[in-house]
């Protein structure tokens, strides 16, 4: 768990310096998810999806299930 806390601190620094880094937002969410802090992970996943959408990358959207055509 100590490693995950250090990873979370590192990813927080990355997103401060590069707020458009979708992978950093996602990985920050992953660190909280793996610590069992699911509610704390959610906003980071949301930020990752938002930044992916801003650059036109649709990764992760399939997790919502099929969308009507």
């Amino acid at each position: 768990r100590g490693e995950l806390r250090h990873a979370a601190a590192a990813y927080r620094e990355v997103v401060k310096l590069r707020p458009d880094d979708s992978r950093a937002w996602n990985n920050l969410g992953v660190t909280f998810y793996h610590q069992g802090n699911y509610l704390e992970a959610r906003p980071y996943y949301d930020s990752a999806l938002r930044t992916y959408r801003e650059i036109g990358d649709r990764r992760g959207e399939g997790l919502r299930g099929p969308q009507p055509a």
Side-chain angles (χ1 to χ4, degrees):
R1 295 220 181 234
E3 292 174 1
L4 289 171
R5 284 193 298 267
H6 290 300
Y11 284 121
R12 279 190 175 120
E13 289 300 314
V14 172
V15 298
K16 281 182 191 174
L17 298 171
R18 297 178 53 185
D20 60 338
D21 189 329
S22 302
R23 288 184 181 186
W25 284 113
N26 185 72
N27 291 341
L28 185 52
V30 168
T31 64
F32 287 101
Y33 180 87
H34 284 294
Q35 293 178 70
N37 297 327
Y38 308 117
L39 292 176
E40 195 165 351
R42 177 66 189 265
Y44 300 116
Y45 289 136
D46 290 341
S47 292
L49 281 172
R50 185 182 66 249
T51 55
Y52 276 129
R53 287 179 184 139
E54 287 173 1
I55 62 171
D57 188 334
R58 299 194 59 165
R59 279 185 281 190
E61 290 186 7
L63 299 176
R64 297 182 309 180
Q67 302 296 306

